[in-house]
Amino acid sequence: MEIVVNSTVLDKAIQAVSVAATTSATDLTAHAVFDVTSTEVFVLAYTKRISVKLPLTVVSASEPGRFTVDIKRFRTLLSTLSDEDITLKYDNYVVTVNTSLGEQDFTSLDPSRFPWWDHQLAEAKPTAKILASTLSKAIADAKEFAGGKEQTNTGRDFSVLEMQSGKIASTDGQVAALLTVEGLESATFRIHVGTASSVLKYFATFEVEEEVEVLESNMSLFFRRPDGAVFTEVKSVSGLPVIRVGKEPATVTWSIHKDSLAKAMKFLSAGAPDNDNHLRFYWDNGTLAVGMNGSAGKIRKVNLTTSD
């Protein structure tokens, strides 16, 4: 089997799928898998929970087949090349790459051991279609409030971002976030906090105005790019407790510039004890202030400017 492909195009594809791979392993999770069909060529990668599949534009492909290459070693080779067409020849678990600098060989692992998930994607139902940049921003914000694998004081798992009634919810057991994202009203997915960074890297491959299609099956979540590229994650079994926000009318509300609040918090935390970084709000005679306990035992405050 033989593929002719542009080195720059191939490097971008390998870089994109590497968000679902690891460079510290010696098994398939460190490899890119090439899937050559009678009409298309795809590049895939996976780790324990996630996988990415991208269509690859090639100059030519001789026949259908599958093989793998070590991502780290292969990208090292590609980094030495100019923008040129190269040939990948596969025979009996050896991939020979023909370039302007000469030939180089890579050992292929058994591609049949890859956890192919095409049937799951075929069964998945679309639940949303929105700007990738919008969903990426919401996931990034919600991730900041998510907890670790398990909170020992409650025994609950707070390590997921979860759709709850059209909102992305996250919590670490102390603070919580509920982010309303228009267009996700029918979505029910969960994203593990450990894979959220990979999701965000995948979204970074979208063009500015491109939309992401969200598809869900009983077992998996899929994010599909307009060109057919797909990111998939195994759904987390455990979810968050339902996060509710009180409906009672507020006694008082404030509008504060986020940079002003962030600066005040940073200033106060510089003098706060390591074991006490609680932020307190003070409202007195129309003046809003935030404060923290200081290391010398005094409460230090910073006044904030509010707007109507």
Side-chain angles (χ1 to χ4, degrees):
M1 180 175 57
E2 181 177 302
I3 299 173
V4 180
V5 61
N6 179 268
S7 60
T8 302
V9 171
L10 181 54
D11 187 45
K12 288 182 178 179
I14 297 294
Q15 182 181 9
V17 299
S18 66
V19 304
T22 175
T23 58
S24 60
T26 57
D27 58 11
L28 267 176
T29 61
H31 278 230
V33 180
F34 288 77
D35 182 16
V36 184
T37 73
S38 59
T39 57
E40 296 177 283
V41 179
F42 299 95
V43 184
L44 304 91
Y46 89 105
T47 50
K48 183 178 180 180
R49 300 183 62 91
I50 61 176
S51 181
V52 175
K53 177 179 181 179
L54 271 75
L56 177 66
T57 301
V58 299
V59 177
S60 64
S62 63
E63 59 186 288
R66 291 168 172 172
F67 62 88
T68 80
V69 294
D70 181 282
I71 290 176
K72 185 177 181 180
R73 290 178 178 274
F74 198 59
R75 291 207 68 203
T76 298
L77 179 143
L78 292 173
S79 69
T80 67
L81 304 178
S82 303
D83 186 28
E84 62 181 82
D85 289 345
I86 62 175
T87 302
L88 284 67
K89 299 178 181 179
Y90 173 66
D91 182 41
N92 195 27
Y93 294 98
V94 176
V95 181
T96 300
V97 184
N98 192 317
T99 76
S100 60
L101 296 178
E103 292 187 343
Q104 186 62 274
D105 295 327
F106 295 87
T107 300
S108 172
L109 299 181
D110 184 358
S112 68
R113 299 179 66 86
F114 186 86
W116 303 97
W117 39 263
D118 292 347
H119 63 289
Q120 295 181 26
L121 176 59
E123 297 170 356
K125 305 298 183 183
T127 58
K129 191 173 185 180
I130 65 173
L131 283 175
S133 57
T134 299
L135 184 53
S136 178
K137 178 65 165 59
I139 290 173
D141 289 345
K143 179 176 177 286
E144 296 300 313
F145 295 87
K149 183 176 182 181
E150 183 177 316
Q151 301 296 310
T152 55
N153 61 326
T154 64
R156 290 175 173 169
D157 185 0
F158 296 140
S159 61
V160 294
L161 316 179
E162 179 179 283
M163 289 303 306
Q164 293 187 357
S165 302
K167 298 178 175 63
I168 299 181
S170 62
T171 181
D172 63 359
Q174 300 295 321
V175 297
L178 278 174
L179 301 169
T180 301
V181 183
E182 186 176 350
L184 291 181
E185 293 79 8
S186 299
T188 61
F189 62 77
R190 297 187 185 114
I191 298 173
H192 194 275
V193 68
T195 61
S197 294
S198 294
V199 175
L200 297 177
K201 289 178 182 177
Y202 171 70
F203 282 140
T205 68
F206 283 67
E207 298 296 333
V208 175
E209 294 299 321
E210 281 189 332
E211 291 185 316
V212 57
E213 184 180 17
V214 183
L215 303 100
E216 301 181 54
S217 69
N218 291 334
M219 299 292 294
S220 301
L221 161 69
F222 302 91
F223 294 124
R224 184 156 59 192
R225 217 167 57 180
D227 66 351
V230 178
F231 180 104
T232 180
E233 176 174 348
V234 177
K235 278 189 174 180
S236 297
V237 176
S238 58
L240 297 176
V242 176
I243 299 174
R244 296 183 174 87
V245 178
K247 302 293 186 180
E248 299 82 4
T251 304
V252 62
T253 59
W254 309 296
S255 293
I256 312 164
H257 196 283
K258 63 184 179 69
D259 291 342
S260 174
L261 179 58
K263 183 182 293 186
M265 292 168 62
K266 186 174 183 179
F267 173 84
L268 293 168
S269 65
D274 291 337
N275 62 350
D276 183 6
N277 60 355
H278 290 85
L279 182 71
R280 298 171 175 83
F281 286 82
Y282 300 90
W283 179 249
D284 184 32
N285 294 325
T287 299
L288 176 66
V290 288
M292 287 184 178
N293 288 333
S295 56
K298 296 181 179 180
I299 297 177
R300 297 300 186 185
K301 300 179 182 179
V302 174
N303 291 335
L304 298 174
T305 301
T306 62
S307 59
D308 295 335

